[in-house]
Amino acid sequence: MQKRKLLILALLILVSARTLQAQPYTKSAVRDTLNLDGKWNVVVDWYDNANQNIIRDKKPSGKNEFLEFSFDNSMSLQVPGDWNSQKPELKYYEGIVWYKRNFNYSPKDNKLVFLQFGAVSYQCDVFLNGEKLGSHEGGFTSFQFDATAKLKNGENLLIVKVNNQRKENNIPALKFDWWNYGGITRSVKLVQIPSASISDYFIQLKKGSLNQVAGWVKLNTKRKEDVFLEIPEAGIRKALRADSNGYISILFTAKLSPWSPEHPRLYKVLLRTKEDLIQDEIGFRSIEVKDGEILLNKKPVFLRGISFHEEIAACAGRAYSESDAKSLLGSAKELGCNFVRLAHYPQSEQTVRMAEKMGLMMWEEIPVWQGIQFGNPEIRQKAGKMLEEMIERDKNRCGIIIWSISNETSPGKERNETLAAMALEARILDPTRLISSAFDHFKQNKNEILIDDPLSEHLDVLAANKYMGWYHPWPAEPGNVIWKSNFKKPLIISEFGSEALYGNHGSKDTASLWTEEHQEQLYRDNINMFKGIPFLRGVCPWILADFRSPFRMQAEYQEGWNRKGLLSDKGFKKKAWYVMYNYYKELSKE
Ligand code: GCB
């Protein structure tokens, strides 16, 4: 596609995405917040039959009125949390649940108050004190509404209608290989900021530089004002001045010790105006691609990765707490990883922040996963919005090195155009990181696998999901499989693996027996193949732990679980874990 046409399409996606509701994300991690987590009362609305009375939590009045819903003495659900793992009767539920909670609030002068949701799966309508605040679609990104004008002094009533029905024009669409958890799955907060405040900032090293800090600060006042930027541990104090749009472009030289997996150094960064103060923790590193290498702080790096879903297998529920994040990331560290693929959607902010503290580089992606209708303009708008919301929340997290725009989509005109435009959209929003997309279409001729997906032209890092020995039979001895590429770019094997039931032992030759030995051998074979791929710069097995999936209907071994985990659903290590562990140990010595 010509450059001009691509740019127009990217801008169109960006502009039309912005017409979807919800305001830009206020960084609650660095703000004064009132947490609204806890037990919420719920009404399960199986047939979408509730009327307007529910949004006011109306009670019957007089002697003749009755209402066919009630939050009083109703079922309650823990927020954050999915409903499927909390109530046996909601395990498979896909539909509408109304959530209600009251909270006390005393409005303060000169403050703006936002109601912020870490994530709601999948779609929601939010009502405060009987009035609609807004709607949001997309189960994995954070969003917020300005609640200032609708908050009352004293008791407030918050009602959220959540719907997780799968639909053809959702993202992900009708079918996906993970559990369709519904609910308010991440924290809900009231975020208070001064009415004249810093609305957003982007502070990172300039692309390709180790000593130049570049970025911007935006003020919601949209007026000329002084802003001070400080990095005390590096002796930096900069007096900046906003333009008449409240915008400041930043560029200065600094001596900073770079963030890396070995030295995950974060600096306190302060932004101060007359009325506002923000204190964040930001790391500085450079990430680029040059001559087929991924360069972290100018040095070639090999990504020793692992993928995981935001799920705690042992609870058969969505991960949501700090200890959940610790457990997933702790396992990745134990395996010897320096990189994690947050599959297949943006995971919680606490996971992202914790990962970079622990020294893990990250790949973050939006849930554009197989079966997406790229020709539909509504889909482009939604995907564009998800991309924007993901970047908006995490653009200051140095641990994130790759934004991925899709997983396993089939080449074709509409798909190629849309994804190329989205790659450009990501670059417009964040010119510093690498852009990728996991694909699974290759040309194969006997023992030769050729990367020829035209989307590759628009990516920095190529990512191949290739299940050699499982979905794809070996065409030759693993060591004799030859990978070729039409593009001189680094490759990550972003998925490979096979299923095994923990504790099930036997033949290593027969896939249908689901043995640990078969999986172990498959890992050995794949590693053998990796050693012969000259442009390979990272691997990311699928997947850390067994996860729940309605795709998996094999009665004896699967029972609704995808068994490709290196860990079982109870967290036990399968034999393949040790193969991967040893491979990473060797690689980290190189
Ligand atoms: C894939 C998908 C992933 C699935 C996996 C599997 O290619 O990207 O979401 O879970 O294969 O197990 O089949």
PDB file of all heavy atoms in Angstrom, residues 10 32 42 65 139 219 221 236 285-286 302 323 328 352 489 510 540 548 556 566:
ATOM      1  N   ALA A  10      -4.451   5.138   8.752  1.00  0.00           N
ATOM      2  CA  ALA A  10      -4.049   5.131  10.173  1.00  0.00           C
ATOM      3  C   ALA A  10      -4.710   6.299  10.908  1.00  0.00           C
ATOM      4  O   ALA A  10      -5.234   6.140  12.015  1.00  0.00           O
ATOM      5  CB  ALA A  10      -2.533   5.216  10.290  1.00  0.00           C
ATOM      6  N   ASP A  32      -4.352  10.300  43.886  1.00  0.00           N
ATOM      7  CA  ASP A  32      -5.128  10.146  45.091  1.00  0.00           C
ATOM      8  C   ASP A  32      -6.422   9.395  44.714  1.00  0.00           C
ATOM      9  O   ASP A  32      -7.189   9.868  43.883  1.00  0.00           O
ATOM     10  CB  ASP A  32      -5.418  11.597  45.536  1.00  0.00           C
ATOM     11  CG  ASP A  32      -6.307  11.676  46.730  1.00  0.00           C
ATOM     12  OD1 ASP A  32      -6.475  10.649  47.382  1.00  0.00           O
ATOM     13  OD2 ASP A  32      -6.831  12.790  46.996  1.00  0.00           O
ATOM     14  N   VAL A  42     -25.494  -7.969  43.132  1.00  0.00           N
ATOM     15  CA  VAL A  42     -25.718  -8.161  41.690  1.00  0.00           C
ATOM     16  C   VAL A  42     -27.091  -8.746  41.394  1.00  0.00           C
ATOM     17  O   VAL A  42     -27.676  -9.458  42.223  1.00  0.00           O
ATOM     18  CB  VAL A  42     -24.643  -9.084  41.047  1.00  0.00           C
ATOM     19  CG1 VAL A  42     -23.253  -8.509  41.203  1.00  0.00           C
ATOM     20  CG2 VAL A  42     -24.699 -10.495  41.586  1.00  0.00           C
ATOM     21  N   GLU A  65     -47.459  -1.119  44.131  1.00  0.00           N
ATOM     22  CA  GLU A  65     -46.323  -1.290  43.222  1.00  0.00           C
ATOM     23  C   GLU A  65     -45.454  -2.490  43.640  1.00  0.00           C
ATOM     24  O   GLU A  65     -45.255  -2.745  44.823  1.00  0.00           O
ATOM     25  CB  GLU A  65     -45.464  -0.028  43.203  1.00  0.00           C
ATOM     26  CG  GLU A  65     -44.457  -0.064  42.069  1.00  0.00           C
ATOM     27  CD  GLU A  65     -43.517   1.145  42.035  1.00  0.00           C
ATOM     28  OE1 GLU A  65     -43.277   1.750  43.098  1.00  0.00           O
ATOM     29  OE2 GLU A  65     -43.020   1.462  40.955  1.00  0.00           O
ATOM     30  N   GLY A 139     -12.692  -5.939  26.919  1.00  0.00           N
ATOM     31  CA  GLY A 139     -12.588  -6.520  28.246  1.00  0.00           C
ATOM     32  C   GLY A 139     -11.260  -6.354  28.957  1.00  0.00           C
ATOM     33  O   GLY A 139     -11.102  -6.806  30.090  1.00  0.00           O
ATOM     34  N   LEU A 219      -1.161  19.511  29.794  1.00  0.00           N
ATOM     35  CA  LEU A 219      -1.936  20.065  30.915  1.00  0.00           C
ATOM     36  C   LEU A 219      -3.391  20.196  30.494  1.00  0.00           C
ATOM     37  O   LEU A 219      -3.663  20.589  29.354  1.00  0.00           O
ATOM     38  CB  LEU A 219      -1.406  21.457  31.289  1.00  0.00           C
ATOM     39  CG  LEU A 219       0.092  21.571  31.547  1.00  0.00           C
ATOM     40  CD1 LEU A 219       0.458  23.012  31.894  1.00  0.00           C
ATOM     41  CD2 LEU A 219       0.506  20.641  32.691  1.00  0.00           C
ATOM     42  N   THR A 221      -5.346  22.334  31.490  1.00  0.00           N
ATOM     43  CA  THR A 221      -5.738  23.756  31.473  1.00  0.00           C
ATOM     44  C   THR A 221      -5.606  24.351  30.075  1.00  0.00           C
ATOM     45  O   THR A 221      -6.169  25.403  29.801  1.00  0.00           O
ATOM     46  CB  THR A 221      -4.815  24.557  32.404  1.00  0.00           C
ATOM     47  OG1 THR A 221      -3.476  24.220  32.057  1.00  0.00           O
ATOM     48  CG2 THR A 221      -5.075  24.243  33.843  1.00  0.00           C
ATOM     49  N   ILE A 236      18.504  15.903  38.301  1.00  0.00           N
ATOM     50  CA  ILE A 236      17.879  16.655  37.196  1.00  0.00           C
ATOM     51  C   ILE A 236      16.709  17.494  37.691  1.00  0.00           C
ATOM     52  O   ILE A 236      15.834  16.982  38.408  1.00  0.00           O
ATOM     53  CB  ILE A 236      17.406  15.667  36.105  1.00  0.00           C
ATOM     54  CG1 ILE A 236      18.622  15.085  35.401  1.00  0.00           C
ATOM     55  CG2 ILE A 236      16.486  16.336  35.089  1.00  0.00           C
ATOM     56  CD1 ILE A 236      18.343  13.868  34.612  1.00  0.00           C
ATOM     57  N   ARG A 285      15.582   3.092  29.075  1.00  0.00           N
ATOM     58  CA  ARG A 285      16.347   2.116  28.278  1.00  0.00           C
ATOM     59  C   ARG A 285      16.088   2.403  26.807  1.00  0.00           C
ATOM     60  O   ARG A 285      15.092   3.020  26.453  1.00  0.00           O
ATOM     61  CB  ARG A 285      15.942   0.676  28.625  1.00  0.00           C
ATOM     62  CG  ARG A 285      14.455   0.372  28.500  1.00  0.00           C
ATOM     63  CD  ARG A 285      14.084  -0.214  27.194  1.00  0.00           C
ATOM     64  NE  ARG A 285      12.643  -0.230  27.020  1.00  0.00           N
ATOM     65  CZ  ARG A 285      11.972   0.702  26.359  1.00  0.00           C
ATOM     66  NH1 ARG A 285      12.593   1.727  25.840  1.00  0.00           N
ATOM     67  NH2 ARG A 285      10.660   0.633  26.214  1.00  0.00           N
ATOM     68  N   SER A 286      17.009   1.938  25.987  1.00  0.00           N
ATOM     69  CA  SER A 286      16.717   2.108  24.560  1.00  0.00           C
ATOM     70  C   SER A 286      16.441   0.729  23.970  1.00  0.00           C
ATOM     71  O   SER A 286      17.027  -0.274  24.405  1.00  0.00           O
ATOM     72  CB  SER A 286      17.870   2.807  23.848  1.00  0.00           C
ATOM     73  OG  SER A 286      18.852   1.882  23.510  1.00  0.00           O
ATOM     74  N   PHE A 302      18.870 -11.609  23.371  1.00  0.00           N
ATOM     75  CA  PHE A 302      18.031 -12.730  22.946  1.00  0.00           C
ATOM     76  C   PHE A 302      16.885 -12.822  23.955  1.00  0.00           C
ATOM     77  O   PHE A 302      17.115 -12.854  25.171  1.00  0.00           O
ATOM     78  CB  PHE A 302      18.840 -14.032  22.934  1.00  0.00           C
ATOM     79  CG  PHE A 302      18.096 -15.175  22.288  1.00  0.00           C
ATOM     80  CD1 PHE A 302      18.238 -15.452  20.930  1.00  0.00           C
ATOM     81  CD2 PHE A 302      17.233 -15.972  23.037  1.00  0.00           C
ATOM     82  CE1 PHE A 302      17.538 -16.503  20.330  1.00  0.00           C
ATOM     83  CE2 PHE A 302      16.518 -17.015  22.454  1.00  0.00           C
ATOM     84  CZ  PHE A 302      16.679 -17.284  21.083  1.00  0.00           C
ATOM     85  N   SER A 323      -0.791 -10.729  44.569  1.00  0.00           N
ATOM     86  CA  SER A 323      -0.135 -12.035  44.731  1.00  0.00           C
ATOM     87  C   SER A 323      -0.297 -12.893  43.474  1.00  0.00           C
ATOM     88  O   SER A 323       0.577 -13.691  43.155  1.00  0.00           O
ATOM     89  CB  SER A 323      -0.616 -12.756  45.994  1.00  0.00           C
ATOM     90  OG  SER A 323      -1.948 -13.120  45.841  1.00  0.00           O
ATOM     91  N   LEU A 328       2.562 -15.384  38.817  1.00  0.00           N
ATOM     92  CA  LEU A 328       2.812 -15.584  37.376  1.00  0.00           C
ATOM     93  C   LEU A 328       4.224 -15.123  37.002  1.00  0.00           C
ATOM     94  O   LEU A 328       4.974 -15.826  36.335  1.00  0.00           O
ATOM     95  CB  LEU A 328       1.767 -14.820  36.555  1.00  0.00           C
ATOM     96  CG  LEU A 328       0.333 -15.363  36.640  1.00  0.00           C
ATOM     97  CD1 LEU A 328      -0.686 -14.347  36.121  1.00  0.00           C
ATOM     98  CD2 LEU A 328       0.207 -16.675  35.871  1.00  0.00           C
ATOM     99  N   VAL A 352       2.135  -5.257  34.932  1.00  0.00           N
ATOM    100  CA  VAL A 352       3.124  -4.574  34.094  1.00  0.00           C
ATOM    101  C   VAL A 352       4.166  -3.868  34.968  1.00  0.00           C
ATOM    102  O   VAL A 352       5.369  -3.973  34.751  1.00  0.00           O
ATOM    103  CB  VAL A 352       2.400  -3.574  33.153  1.00  0.00           C
ATOM    104  CG1 VAL A 352       3.395  -2.690  32.434  1.00  0.00           C
ATOM    105  CG2 VAL A 352       1.531  -4.331  32.151  1.00  0.00           C
ATOM    106  N   LYS A 489      14.789  -9.134   9.155  1.00  0.00           N
ATOM    107  CA  LYS A 489      14.333  -8.641  10.462  1.00  0.00           C
ATOM    108  C   LYS A 489      14.468  -9.762  11.486  1.00  0.00           C
ATOM    109  O   LYS A 489      14.397 -10.934  11.127  1.00  0.00           O
ATOM    110  CB  LYS A 489      12.861  -8.225  10.362  1.00  0.00           C
ATOM    111  CG  LYS A 489      12.633  -7.098   9.370  1.00  0.00           C
ATOM    112  CD  LYS A 489      11.235  -6.526   9.427  1.00  0.00           C
ATOM    113  CE  LYS A 489      11.140  -5.387   8.423  1.00  0.00           C
ATOM    114  NZ  LYS A 489       9.918  -4.623   8.513  1.00  0.00           N
ATOM    115  N   THR A 510       3.572 -40.783  20.765  1.00  0.00           N
ATOM    116  CA  THR A 510       2.158 -40.755  20.374  1.00  0.00           C
ATOM    117  C   THR A 510       1.452 -39.535  20.976  1.00  0.00           C
ATOM    118  O   THR A 510       1.218 -39.471  22.191  1.00  0.00           O
ATOM    119  CB  THR A 510       1.466 -42.060  20.856  1.00  0.00           C
ATOM    120  OG1 THR A 510       2.311 -43.140  20.486  1.00  0.00           O
ATOM    121  CG2 THR A 510       0.104 -42.242  20.233  1.00  0.00           C
ATOM    122  N   CYS A 540       9.372 -18.037  22.780  1.00  0.00           N
ATOM    123  CA  CYS A 540       8.330 -17.812  23.770  1.00  0.00           C
ATOM    124  C   CYS A 540       7.376 -19.012  23.748  1.00  0.00           C
ATOM    125  O   CYS A 540       6.426 -19.020  22.976  1.00  0.00           O
ATOM    126  CB  CYS A 540       7.604 -16.539  23.353  1.00  0.00           C
ATOM    127  SG  CYS A 540       6.996 -15.625  24.725  1.00  0.00           S
ATOM    128  N   ARG A 548      -7.904 -22.734  31.188  1.00  0.00           N
ATOM    129  CA  ARG A 548      -9.252 -23.209  30.846  1.00  0.00           C
ATOM    130  C   ARG A 548      -9.654 -22.733  29.463  1.00  0.00           C
ATOM    131  O   ARG A 548      -9.440 -21.579  29.110  1.00  0.00           O
ATOM    132  CB  ARG A 548     -10.258 -22.690  31.874  1.00  0.00           C
ATOM    133  CG  ARG A 548     -10.028 -23.248  33.243  1.00  0.00           C
ATOM    134  CD  ARG A 548     -10.959 -22.597  34.222  1.00  0.00           C
ATOM    135  NE  ARG A 548     -12.295 -23.154  34.093  1.00  0.00           N
ATOM    136  CZ  ARG A 548     -13.407 -22.501  34.456  1.00  0.00           C
ATOM    137  NH1 ARG A 548     -13.330 -21.289  34.935  1.00  0.00           N
ATOM    138  NH2 ARG A 548     -14.573 -23.061  34.340  1.00  0.00           N
ATOM    139  N   GLU A 556     -10.816 -37.373  28.396  1.00  0.00           N
ATOM    140  CA  GLU A 556      -9.909 -38.030  29.331  1.00  0.00           C
ATOM    141  C   GLU A 556      -8.786 -37.115  29.829  1.00  0.00           C
ATOM    142  O   GLU A 556      -8.433 -37.112  31.005  1.00  0.00           O
ATOM    143  CB  GLU A 556      -9.285 -39.216  28.599  1.00  0.00           C
ATOM    144  CG  GLU A 556      -8.934 -40.378  29.496  1.00  0.00           C
ATOM    145  CD  GLU A 556      -8.413 -41.517  28.642  1.00  0.00           C
ATOM    146  OE1 GLU A 556      -8.703 -41.552  27.419  1.00  0.00           O
ATOM    147  OE2 GLU A 556      -7.704 -42.353  29.190  1.00  0.00           O
ATOM    148  N   LEU A 566       3.619 -25.505  30.803  1.00  0.00           N
ATOM    149  CA  LEU A 566       4.815 -26.149  31.363  1.00  0.00           C
ATOM    150  C   LEU A 566       4.521 -26.484  32.817  1.00  0.00           C
ATOM    151  O   LEU A 566       5.167 -27.323  33.420  1.00  0.00           O
ATOM    152  CB  LEU A 566       6.017 -25.203  31.275  1.00  0.00           C
ATOM    153  CG  LEU A 566       6.513 -24.899  29.861  1.00  0.00           C
ATOM    154  CD1 LEU A 566       7.622 -23.856  29.890  1.00  0.00           C
ATOM    155  CD2 LEU A 566       7.007 -26.170  29.180  1.00  0.00           C
TER     156      LEU A 566
END
